[in-house]
Amino acid sequence: MRYIYDNSYEGLLSAVYEVFAFCDKNAEIVAARDLAGPSLYETRETPTDEAHASSVSDWLEHLGPNVSGAFYIAWLSREDGIDDLILAVMRIAKKHKCDPFALRQYRQVCELDGARRRVGNEAHRMLQFVRFVKLEERVYAADIRTDYDVLQLIGEHFHRRFRDVAFMIRDVERRRAILSNPKEWYIAELPDYNPPIKGDDKYEQLWREYFKTIAIEQRVNLRLQQQFVPKKYRSTMTEFQSDEPA
């Protein structure tokens, strides 16, 4: 049986609940957005059920303090086959009744933990690489382009750090954004068209001057620079933008 869920993490957990409830040993789990035409498999559309999702989440919490979060972070990778990989590792957890990430003898555990690490590493990089543009007094915006969906992982950090201003961090590829004000922050869907952020040129120039100041020309190491700041992130980083007018 192929269980189809609504693309949300709660939907995935609801599908896991049904797989376990039906004792379906041959189950596959697929997000609705990953469906590619008709399938030869018998399918079941699994509705998102908050009670079922909470039941699975609570079970994961009992396995260890970081287990539930590890599954969620790995899911954010949205890599091919991640849903079935999560189900496989949850089966291992159910069999051994312990933190599955400690069971390194299983290939599926190592693969899922690898996805978790990749997402976590990129989220950590974004804490350093986000560059805000000042739109007006006490209002800022930034764009990011990432391999993984990390907005949920970085939102609280920036909200706490910039609690006294309003800001937006746009995920350009996924058309979603963190919206934060002094009281709260949340993630919202963006329209299909999102114009480039145009802000205070003086604020952007400060970043460029800072970058030039700390860079000693005779000691520039481009290979090391790329290691610490990969080129794929530079299009949204102020200090890598040209001083020349567009």
Side-chain angles (χ1 to χ4, degrees):
M1 177 78 73
R2 174 174 284 181
Y3 295 74
I4 312 300
Y5 73 96
D6 67 356
N7 306 322
S8 69
Y9 186 63
E10 291 74 17
L12 171 69
L13 295 184
S14 299
V16 170
Y17 181 94
E18 291 204 356
V19 169
F20 284 174
F22 296 147
C23 299
D24 190 341
K25 296 181 179 180
N26 300 311
E28 290 186 354
I29 297 180
V30 181
R33 64 185 169 197
D34 294 333
L35 290 175
S39 170
L40 298 178
Y41 290 91
E42 183 180 358
T43 62
R44 173 183 175 84
E45 292 190 8
T46 306
T48 298
D49 186 306
E50 290 187 9
H52 291 175
S54 293
S55 177
V56 176
S57 182
D58 290 345
W59 165 63
L60 294 176
E61 291 286 351
H62 282 105
L63 295 177
N66 301 315
V67 174
S68 183
F71 275 104
Y72 175 64
I73 294 172
W75 176 79
L76 289 174
S77 74
R78 303 312 304 140
E79 293 176 345
D80 290 343
I82 194 67
D83 299 320
D84 282 334
L85 193 58
I86 286 173
L87 176 60
V89 176
M90 286 191 181
R91 289 188 190 277
I92 292 170
K94 190 170 183 288
K95 175 182 178 180
H96 292 277
K97 298 181 175 60
C98 68
D99 178 352
F101 292 96
L103 304 173
R104 309 296 294 184
Q105 69 269 32
Y106 288 98
R107 172 187 56 81
Q108 298 95 325
V109 170
C110 295
E111 290 180 0
L112 191 66
D113 193 48
R116 178 195 65 81
R117 289 175 182 273
R118 288 188 289 275
V119 175
N121 288 342
E122 187 162 59
H124 181 72
R125 278 180 163 175
M126 286 303 104
L127 302 186
Q128 307 168 56
F129 294 166
V130 170
R131 297 293 183 262
F132 286 100
V133 171
K134 184 178 181 181
L135 301 181
E136 57 184 76
E137 191 63 31
R138 304 175 73 81
V139 180
Y140 297 82
D143 282 342
I144 61 173
R145 287 182 172 86
T146 58
D147 293 332
Y148 305 115
D149 184 1
V150 299
L151 289 183
Q152 193 69 43
L153 303 181
I154 67 176
E156 185 64 22
H157 168 86
F158 285 105
H159 177 67
R160 289 182 178 180
R161 187 172 180 183
F162 303 109
R163 190 177 291 275
D164 59 340
V165 302
F167 67 83
M168 170 177 64
I169 301 176
R170 300 192 307 190
D171 183 331
V172 177
E173 303 297 332
R174 296 168 185 82
R175 297 200 298 273
R176 303 171 73 228
I178 295 169
L179 302 178
S180 178
N181 60 58
K183 292 184 179 180
E184 62 180 351
W185 72 275
Y186 55 93
I187 294 177
E189 301 295 324
L190 295 175
D192 290 340
Y193 174 68
N194 291 281
I197 294 173
K198 296 294 184 181
D200 187 333
D201 291 338
K202 292 181 180 179
Y203 181 82
E204 294 186 34
Q205 186 63 26
L206 283 175
W207 262 113
R208 296 191 188 105
E209 290 300 325
Y210 167 75
F211 189 69
K212 290 179 180 178
T213 299
I214 64 173
I216 302 172
E217 185 174 355
Q218 293 80 359
R219 299 179 64 183
V220 169
N221 184 329
L222 295 179
R223 181 177 296 179
L224 188 62
Q225 186 183 81
Q226 184 167 343
Q227 178 181 339
F228 286 106
V229 188
K231 289 183 178 180
K232 64 183 178 181
Y233 299 128
R234 297 184 188 182
S235 64
T236 58
M237 296 178 70
T238 307
E239 61 267 42
F240 287 101
Q241 307 310 306
S242 172
D243 290 327
E244 299 296 326

